[in-house]
Amino acid sequence: MELWYTEHHSDYVHFSLKVKEQLYSNQSDFQHIAILDTYEFGKALVLDGCLMVTERDEFIYHDMIVHVPMATNLNVKSVLVIGAGDGGTIRELCRYQGIERIDMVEIDEMVVEACKEYLPQTACSLEDPRVHIYYEDGLKYVRRKVAEYDLILVDSTDPFGPGEGLFTKEFYGNCYNALTEDGILVNQHESTYYDAYVEAMKRAHHRIKETFPIAKVYQAHIPTYPSGHWLFGYASKKYDPLTDLQEEEWNSLELRTSYYNTKLHRGAFALPNYVKEQLNENE
Amino acid sequence: MELWYTEHHSDYVHFSLKVKEQLYSNQSDFQHIAILDTYEFGKALVLDGCLMVTERDEFIYHDMIVHVPMATNLNVKSVLVIGAGDGGTIRELCRYQGIERIDMVEIDEMVVEACKEYLPQTACSLEDPRVHIYYEDGLKYVRRKVAEYDLILVDSTDPFGPGEGLFTKEFYGNCYNALTEDGILVNQHESTYYDAYVEAMKRAHHRIKETFPIAKVYQAHIPTYPSGHWLFGYASKKYDPLTDLQEEEWNSLELRTSYYNTKLHRGAFALPNYVKEQLNENE
């Protein structure tokens, strides 16, 4: 038998992975959850028909969502992570000794349970004593918080299903209030290619820029995401990710990373002209 | 009827584009040539089952193979282009008034004829009076040349068919001899992902580094190429692409580019750690 997983990057572009075995498939209250064992990318988490994480390239996404803000402010002590059920973001955060508390708010407990069982590579730090998991809607959780976190990471799905509320102006405003004066917000920011993603990306950037005095966008090469060109949004009350980068201090920590380095940090903010134009279209 | 073009990025990863119409298909002495009209990417040139150029994302490849070396040495007067039958590289070169002569050596006349007919977007400058086209093997052509070119661009296919000789140590040595003292060599350098491409990339870098005192690698996001993460090799007798970048001078030319800018130029050389490790493995 030949088993292939196919993802529709658009109506006209399909991306297919040969599958050894479907390890898990379940419908939660929020979404369809599957774990596939693929030949090229190892085990993969698929939510509502979108690849979220694969064993082989997850390091890129997780390096970039965590180390970019951390290298900008190494004094981060309290972190809120929204989404991130696979645990990869938590794993990278736990490498920083200075972080005292990580609150993770994931709407779907079933995702976490599936990842703990099938994706220990990413879920390995969910038992760290600094980590507190809340199974609820991140949108509602963050409304109650004021000046509590130095860093918020929005490691969400695309804004087409349960993740939709995490791309609203109300949500970004609540994040602003939940952050301390040192606060940094990083969110996964969709892609520069394929119309549905581009529209989501433009809307997100526009709303974040209305909320935060510093709002920039950075990029990474992620082979299993549509077009391979993925963006992250960086916003802060105070810290610029380039002029405030703590290059020497971060390097002196000697964290071993497979994607991130401080030169790449600077390079990631150097966007192509057509992406800069997309981001400025709403201005 | 539904018509789909499928490319095998590896045995286990397929990338498929929905096709309106196959406009052209022919077998030359060197390779199979097809031109497809696709829904998402417009018209596309396919050689031996590999996407070479699409109307929608060709600007990325052509910006990056031309403007990176040109912004490093704006005094380039004579250029040798090997391959590049679609004409996109020639189009970008022709925007520089200072370039006096462009010799293009393409092994396969049938590619050029097909592109002139179906891809005028890229083939539009092949009639520029500074352009001289030679239909012969680039490997043999360059053997006869000594200190003749300020810039050589190797815009070849992958090293698995007619392009194979353009990835050899002999070829790089002959390029060195064909270049003036100011000489820069840029070649398409395969990808960081999928084993066959990674092996080709490592071999190419190792050979170029044995030949040129300055040899670096830079990257771009190209959605239709395997993994979307594509590399170029930069080599020179004299000019470092970062310290010698003529940032102000290039910007004062006011060339409008959709991908390239001089900040991105610097960022493109900031490689992920895993790619730096791949490149150094042979050392």
Side-chain angles (χ1 to χ4, degrees), chain B:
Chain B
M1 174 176 90
E2 279 212 11
L3 196 60
W4 286 83
Y5 163 79
T6 294
E7 184 162 326
H8 295 202
H9 288 175
S10 81
D11 289 345
Y12 310 124
V13 180
H14 291 177
F15 181 70
S16 306
L17 300 180
K18 192 172 179 185
V19 171
K20 291 181 189 172
E21 195 183 351
Q22 179 182 293
L23 299 171
Y24 178 90
S25 171
N26 216 334
Q27 180 70 41
S28 76
D29 289 344
F30 307 99
Q31 55 206 335
H32 183 263
I33 304 164
I35 308 233
L36 305 174
D37 191 7
T38 72
Y39 283 88
E40 186 76 45
F41 289 97
K43 283 182 271 178
L45 170 67
V46 179
L47 297 180
D48 277 348
C50 288
L51 270 174
M52 290 291 119
V53 158
T54 80
E55 284 184 320
R56 187 152 165 222
D57 75 344
E58 57 88 6
F59 69 98
I60 303 174
Y61 180 93
H62 294 126
D63 267 17
M64 291 303 278
I65 200 167
V66 169
H67 301 306
V68 170
M70 286 304 298
T72 306
N73 178 20
L74 279 166
N75 293 318
V76 164
K77 301 230 177 320
S78 63
V79 186
L80 171 63
V81 179
I82 294 178
D86 59 82
T89 296
I90 303 295
R91 179 193 65 203
E92 291 305 309
L93 285 168
C94 285
R95 302 175 71 190
Y96 291 90
Q97 300 305 316
I99 293 179
E100 294 169 359
R101 183 180 180 95
I102 302 168
D103 291 338
M104 167 174 155
V105 182
E106 163 63 57
I107 203 167
D108 197 342
E109 185 167 4
M110 212 182 262
V111 171
V112 176
E113 294 308 317
C115 292
K116 277 186 180 170
E117 185 163 354
Y118 295 102
L119 284 170
Q121 178 179 316
T122 54
C124 55
S125 297
L126 291 174
E127 311 294 336
D128 187 289
R130 294 170 292 173
V131 177
H132 308 266
I133 306 183
Y134 303 90
Y135 293 110
E136 57 178 294
D137 184 349
L139 184 61
K140 289 180 188 158
Y141 178 93
V142 80
R143 271 187 203 138
R144 310 190 296 265
K145 302 294 174 180
V146 179
E148 200 160 308
Y149 298 104
D150 303 317
L151 174 61
I152 298 179
L153 301 181
V154 188
D155 181 359
S156 69
T157 53
D158 299 325
F160 316 126
E164 196 169 351
L166 305 179
F167 286 77
T168 59
K169 187 157 167 49
E170 189 222 331
F171 174 70
Y172 299 129
N174 290 334
C175 286
Y176 185 94
N177 294 332
L179 285 167
T180 61
E181 283 312 300
D182 282 344
I184 297 173
L185 168 72
V186 170
N187 65 326
Q188 82 87 351
H189 207 299
E190 302 296 306
S191 175
T192 66
Y193 236 80
Y194 305 129
D195 295 346
Y197 297 98
V198 173
E199 285 311 309
M201 178 265 274
K202 287 199 253 183
R203 273 198 309 275
H205 182 63
H206 185 59
R207 289 167 181 167
I208 293 169
K209 244 177 39 178
E210 286 184 336
T211 311
F212 285 86
I214 297 166
K216 301 199 172 179
V217 168
Y218 62 99
Q219 65 199 344
H221 294 87
I222 305 183
T224 56
Y225 281 8
S227 86
H229 190 175
W230 209 255
L231 301 181
F232 296 87
Y234 173 100
S236 176
K237 297 186 180 183
K238 188 161 126 187
Y239 293 113
D240 182 278
L242 298 174
T243 56
D244 292 313
L245 172 61
Q246 298 183 273
E247 195 154 4
E248 276 179 45
E249 296 86 337
W250 191 87
N251 284 310
S252 72
L253 293 179
E254 298 188 350
L255 295 179
R256 200 175 147 78
T257 46
S258 291
Y259 191 84
Y260 178 85
N261 59 62
T262 49
K263 280 188 182 157
L264 181 142
H265 177 122
R266 294 186 188 283
F269 285 90
L271 302 175
N273 285 347
Y274 83 99
V275 178
K276 292 202 287 183
E277 282 163 21
Q278 286 171 340
L279 291 169
N280 291 331
E281 267 169 24
N282 282 322
E283 286 185 311

Side-chain angles (χ1 to χ4, degrees), chain A residues 17-86:
Chain A
L17 301 181
K18 193 172 179 184
V19 171
K20 291 180 189 172
E21 195 182 351
Q22 179 183 293
L23 299 172
Y24 177 90
S25 172
N26 216 333
Q27 180 70 41
S28 76
D29 289 343
F30 307 100
Q31 56 205 336
H32 183 264
I33 305 164
I35 308 237
L36 305 174
D37 191 6
T38 72
Y39 284 88
E40 186 75 46
F41 289 97
K43 282 182 271 178
L45 170 67
V46 178
L47 297 180
D48 277 347
C50 289
L51 270 174
M52 290 292 120
V53 158
T54 80
E55 284 186 320
R56 188 156 164 219
D57 75 345
E58 56 88 6
F59 69 98
I60 302 173
Y61 180 93
H62 295 127
D63 267 17
M64 292 303 276
I65 200 167
V66 169
H67 301 307
V68 169
M70 286 304 299
T72 305
N73 177 22
L74 279 167
N75 293 320
V76 164
K77 301 229 179 320
S78 62
V79 186
L80 171 62
V81 179
I82 294 178
D86 59 81

Side-chain angles (χ1 to χ4, degrees), chain A residues 148-183:
Chain A
E148 200 160 309
Y149 297 105
D150 303 318
L151 174 62
I152 299 178
L153 301 180
V154 188
D155 181 359
S156 70
T157 53
D158 299 324
F160 316 125
E164 197 168 351
L166 305 179
F167 286 78
T168 59
K169 189 159 166 50
E170 188 222 331
F171 174 70
Y172 298 130
N174 289 335
C175 285
Y176 185 93
N177 294 332
L179 285 167
T180 61
E181 283 311 301
D182 281 345

